[in-house]
Amino acid sequence: MKSVARASLTLASLFTVPAVFAQHADLEEIVVTANPLRSSALQLAQSAIVLAGDDLARNVGPSLGETLASQPGVTASYFGPKASRPIIRGLSGERVLMLLDGVSALDVSNLSPDHSVSVEPLLADQIEILKGPTTLLYGSGAVGGVVNTVDGRIPMRKDREPIEGGLELRADTASEERSIAGRLDGAVGSVAWHLDGYSRDTDDIEIPGLDWSKALIAEKTAEGEPIEATRGYVPNTDSESDGVTAGFAWIGERSLVGFAWGRAETNYGLPGPAEHAHDETPAASAVAALAAAEEEEAVRIDQTADRYDFKAEWRELGGLLDNAALRAAYTDYEHDELEGDEIGTSFEQTGLDTRLHLGHRAIAGWTGTLGLQYTDLDLEAIGAEAYIPPAQTTGLAAFLVEQQRFGDWTVDFGGRLEQQEIDVDAAARDYDGTAFSAAAGLLWDLDADLTLALHLTHSERHPQAAELYSDGPHLAVRRYEIGDDRLGTETANTVDFGLRRTGDVTWRASIFYSDFKDYIFPLDTGAEEDGLPVYAYRQADATFYGAEGEIEVPVWHGTDRGLSAHFGADYVRGKLDGGGNLPQMPPLRLMASLEYDAGPLHSVLGLAWYDEQDKLAANELPTDSYTLLDFEVTYRWERWTPGVLLFVKGSNLLDEEARRHSSPLKDYVPLPGRSFLLGVRLSRSPAH
């Protein structure tokens, strides 16, 4: 696999891809591809964040979660740097859908935080985060939102040279990351083609102090248990990732048919407490405890995914239909959880996601899309720690999204009806349910620069197989899980109100409130099984509310240079209506930065302060506040267009101990210490 990926990268170093290595585009100009109306981010009533161009290059991390964790309202699960899934406004798992080019990622990252997202951000053209009515096209339970990664694996343009391409190299000090990624694109006549590949290796992350938190050490000391903390690094956080993708498309004047295949291979360690029973006698010293811990076999995940994508589009059709699109993806996914050289548990899943979108011409002023979606997931866990029985999940959904403009007002609404069945081989009742979701949004242009946005959402989410049928030790999160096959749909009613201003001073702010009925969550029962605490899935009413905002203020501007200040903040609160806090809620975050631009030079000095989190769920330990100081400098050499991009980034310059409260391993795995990233993107765009 590595030889295939690196061969494609060697070829890619000779050419350029304007799409992925484009210069930074303003938010207003970036089309949100996950929106069927192809609107820009500022034309949507819903909240939307789009990373593209140089902004994306500077933010790419070892996983999708780490790439997006600094965006307003977004954090990540951080089960180590590789297994890190985006969390939006405190919601995670099945409530935040992962898409690749508009179709489900079809992996098992929603089942457990130790499972990495199979989407690689290194070669993304853009990454979109959105909430509101159009999320109903992808899943009724996406109350948190949708993260769509666009990587151009199926070409959409034929107006290019026969061969174009690009290459990126990057290296990081805290994890000893060494990455290379490249791509080729081209077109001959009506046939366009695409090839990309990447390889990324990282070592154990370096940290400023002990991997165990002070709160955890105090708790273990009080209980008379040995302290097995490691200083200066977090063991078993290294990773290796390789991948290659090939695609082609026939592109006509009003139609397109395309196909792509991709393979991704990842091997990464699972950090955290040792998975073994300790001797009752505390270790005589920290050195003895560390030596005992290192004798244990580290747990690793070896993951492979083969993905096949199909796309067909027809435009300017006759009658009421304006366009039609058929999208399908099939994935053969598996990963082995290795204990030394032995396979402890294997997860195997084949998944199919198909969507038919029919866009119609204006009817009484309304334009929009209606469609159908069919999904089929066949999941099997094999091994002593297989806590989920084999299950086949099938779903059929119909959806509709409409929009119309009334002068200064833009109104959109959507609806989705979804039927889902889960068949299990074990002696448990099968699940068969129907969920209905609806959303409406309003965009009001108060003047040329100020816009009010409001959207209301009613969503119903089906329980997933793990919530219904778990029964066994889930060692990655150190608990024994018990599902409940009597769980019903989870309902959420959400209101999101926002204001946006463009112009010299640009700002946006929003507040949100979600009222959940029958919220599904794992409850700590207080019992023990096999030496692990027992968590049982239950339903109870819950409430989420919070706010987020950001502002950009020009400080000084010259002829071709300028200095601007940016400020931002976000906050979310999650609690059960019957009393008690929900676990892993991110704390208040305040952000500030200074940006200086002088022609091809762009530099940023940023500061982010994270409050302590003392609003805790049962058996949660508090998290201390911390401050992250970062800088980045990029320089674009434009002998070619878009040329060569050089970038340097320094993270956690104060070398603070930083623990993300949204991580289930936050007391065992802090964020990396002081780190420096150096990267270069080489590209050359032939004249058209």
Side-chain angles (χ1 to χ4, degrees):
M1 176 64 214
K2 286 188 177 182
S3 61
V4 175
R6 285 171 178 155
S8 67
L9 295 172
T10 302
L11 292 173
S13 66
L14 304 177
F15 307 100
T16 185
V17 187
V20 72
F21 295 154
Q23 298 186 45
H24 170 68
D26 291 336
L27 184 61
E28 298 92 327
E29 300 171 348
I30 300 176
V31 173
V32 181
T33 65
N35 182 303
L37 304 177
R38 308 293 291 182
S39 304
S40 74
L42 292 184
Q43 293 171 325
L44 298 176
Q46 64 212 79
S47 174
I49 299 173
V50 181
L51 277 180
D54 294 356
D55 285 344
L56 176 57
R58 290 188 290 263
N59 282 278
V60 166
S63 58
L64 198 57
E66 294 310 291
T67 299
L68 302 176
S70 62
Q71 300 304 308
V74 183
T75 183
S77 56
Y78 199 70
F79 209 95
K82 189 61 183 175
S84 187
R85 199 175 195 270
I87 296 173
I88 300 178
R89 293 176 173 177
L91 297 170
S92 59
E94 198 69 21
R95 302 177 184 94
V96 177
L97 300 185
M98 300 292 112
L99 305 180
L100 179 57
D101 280 339
V103 184
S104 173
L106 296 171
D107 54 31
V108 297
S109 64
N110 60 317
L111 294 182
S112 177
D114 63 308
H115 300 166
S116 71
V117 181
S118 60
V119 177
E120 173 56 54
L122 197 57
L123 277 168
D125 291 347
Q126 69 183 49
I127 301 177
E128 307 161 353
I129 308 169
L130 69 160
K131 301 171 282 293
T134 57
T135 62
L136 299 180
L137 273 68
Y138 304 104
S140 58
V143 61
V146 165
V147 176
N148 182 41
T149 302
V150 182
D151 66 1
R153 59 182 52 207
I154 296 181
M156 298 292 291
R157 295 172 43 225
K158 63 178 180 179
D159 58 335
R160 59 171 77 243
E161 294 295 317
I163 301 179
E164 304 171 0
L167 175 71
E168 176 172 322
L169 305 169
R170 58 172 63 210
D172 177 80
T173 59
S175 63
E176 299 296 328
E177 176 185 347
R178 300 295 182 267
S179 299
I180 180 172
R183 61 184 284 173
L184 296 170
D185 286 89
V188 178
S190 297
V191 177
W193 56 273
H194 169 88
L195 176 68
D196 68 47
Y198 67 90
S199 181
R200 185 205 305 264
D201 292 327
T202 70
D203 205 344
D204 292 338
I205 61 170
E206 297 177 359
I207 57 175
L210 297 174
D211 56 348
W212 285 24
S213 69
K214 298 180 181 66
L216 178 64
I217 291 174
E219 180 182 76
K220 295 295 185 183
T221 301
E223 294 173 354
E225 296 188 16
I227 306 303
E228 298 178 353
T230 301
R231 181 177 295 278
Y233 75 104
V234 181
N236 207 34
T237 50
D238 61 306
S239 67
E240 296 180 7
S241 301
D242 297 275
V244 63
T245 304
F248 69 91
W250 178 87
I251 304 172
E253 292 301 318
R254 295 185 298 175
S255 60
L256 176 149
V257 178
F259 177 81
W261 163 82
R263 163 166 281 213
E265 297 180 354
T266 302
N267 184 290
Y268 62 94
L270 292 182
E275 311 291 0
H276 64 284
H278 296 292
D279 187 89
E280 294 299 324
T281 305
S285 67
V287 174
L290 177 59
E294 290 179 340
E295 291 177 0
E296 298 299 323
E297 296 286 5
V299 179
R300 303 188 64 82
I301 285 185
D302 192 25
Q303 172 183 305
T304 302
D306 284 290
R307 180 182 172 100
Y308 305 85
D309 283 89
F310 173 80
K311 176 187 291 186
E313 294 185 359
W314 300 268
R315 298 177 294 276
E316 300 178 24
L317 301 175
L320 285 177
L321 283 182
D322 179 62
N323 60 80
L326 177 64
R327 285 286 281 116
Y330 175 83
T331 297
D332 186 358
Y333 172 96
E334 64 177 316
H335 82 237
D336 297 326
E337 299 187 357
L338 305 174
E339 301 172 5
D341 295 328
E342 302 294 327
I343 297 177
T345 306
S346 293
F347 284 83
E348 299 177 0
Q349 178 172 279
T350 56
L352 173 67
D353 184 15
T354 59
R355 308 176 194 273
L356 174 64
H357 294 238
L358 301 174
H360 65 80
R361 288 185 170 84
I363 302 175
W366 292 94
T367 58
T369 295
L370 66 157
L372 298 172
Q373 178 183 1
Y374 174 76
T375 57
D376 189 330
L377 301 175
D378 193 352
L379 172 68
E380 184 175 10
I382 306 167
E385 299 165 12
Y387 62 98
I388 307 174
Q392 182 174 21
T393 302
T394 56
L396 180 63
F399 53 82
L400 173 71
V401 173
E402 296 289 326
Q403 184 180 85
Q404 184 172 179
R405 186 167 182 86
F406 303 91
D408 295 333
W409 302 69
T410 301
V411 178
D412 56 28
F413 69 88
R416 181 183 178 94
L417 184 64
E418 183 176 274
Q419 194 272 340
Q420 179 174 286
E421 295 181 3
I422 303 179
D423 297 324
V424 291
D425 296 339
R429 76 177 78 187
D430 294 337
Y431 176 84
D432 188 348
T434 302
F436 172 74
S437 298
L442 170 69
L443 201 65
W444 181 15
D445 295 328
L446 299 172
D447 59 35
D449 297 326
L450 184 62
T451 302
L452 178 149
L454 172 69
H455 71 259
L456 309 172
T457 306
H458 168 84
S459 65
E460 297 179 3
R461 181 181 75 88
H462 296 289
Q464 61 179 3
E467 296 165 333
L468 291 165
Y469 306 117
S470 294
D471 188 7
H474 190 176
L475 294 182
V477 290
R478 296 291 295 167
R479 66 193 188 199
Y480 193 101
E481 292 187 6
I482 299 177
D484 185 350
D485 60 12
R486 297 166 298 177
L487 296 177
T489 56
E490 171 187 284
T491 302
N493 294 308
T494 300
V495 57
D496 190 333
F497 174 82
L499 284 172
R500 313 169 187 168
R501 175 173 285 281
T502 57
D504 290 339
V505 177
T506 300
W507 55 266
R508 64 188 65 209
S510 63
I511 57 174
F512 58 90
Y513 180 90
S514 294
D515 182 21
F516 281 85
K517 182 179 180 182
D518 296 329
Y519 181 85
I520 301 173
F521 68 102
L523 174 69
D524 186 352
T525 65
E528 282 196 3
E529 185 75 25
D530 294 340
L532 297 172
V534 175
Y535 282 73
Y537 283 98
R538 296 289 185 264
Q539 290 189 290
D541 295 345
T543 300
F544 285 75
Y545 59 86
E548 59 201 34
E550 53 185 333
I551 182 172
E552 178 181 351
V553 181
V555 177
W556 170 80
H557 280 286
T559 304
D560 60 349
R561 60 194 63 199
L563 179 68
S564 59
H566 299 250
F567 304 94
D570 54 25
Y571 175 76
V572 63
R573 181 86 162 88
K575 57 183 181 180
L576 296 169
D577 291 356
N581 299 306
L582 288 167
Q584 297 166 23
M585 286 293 106
L588 170 67
R589 175 172 57 177
L590 303 178
M591 298 165 284
S593 65
L594 284 174
E595 295 195 16
Y596 176 72
D597 288 280
L601 178 68
H602 174 83
S603 58
V604 181
L605 181 65
L607 192 69
W609 175 78
Y610 295 75
D611 195 8
E612 65 181 4
Q613 182 57 281
D614 54 7
K615 298 178 177 64
L616 307 174
N619 296 323
E620 256 194 333
L621 293 175
T623 304
D624 293 336
S625 63
Y626 58 93
T627 301
L628 298 180
L629 178 65
D630 304 330
F631 84 89
E632 59 186 51
V633 178
T634 61
Y635 184 85
R636 180 172 289 284
W637 186 49
E638 296 181 338
R639 178 176 177 180
W640 301 302
T641 301
V644 178
L645 178 69
L646 301 171
F647 51 96
V648 178
K649 185 173 183 178
S651 302
N652 193 6
L653 299 179
L654 303 178
D655 208 24
E656 281 221 25
E657 179 180 318
R659 298 181 184 273
R660 193 176 289 158
H661 193 80
S662 55
S663 166
L665 287 184
K666 55 102 175 177
D667 289 302
Y668 297 94
V669 186
L671 297 177
R674 185 183 297 113
S675 175
F676 297 95
L677 169 71
L678 174 64
V680 57
R681 276 189 166 183
L682 308 174
S683 53
R684 194 172 95 191
S685 176
H688 289 282

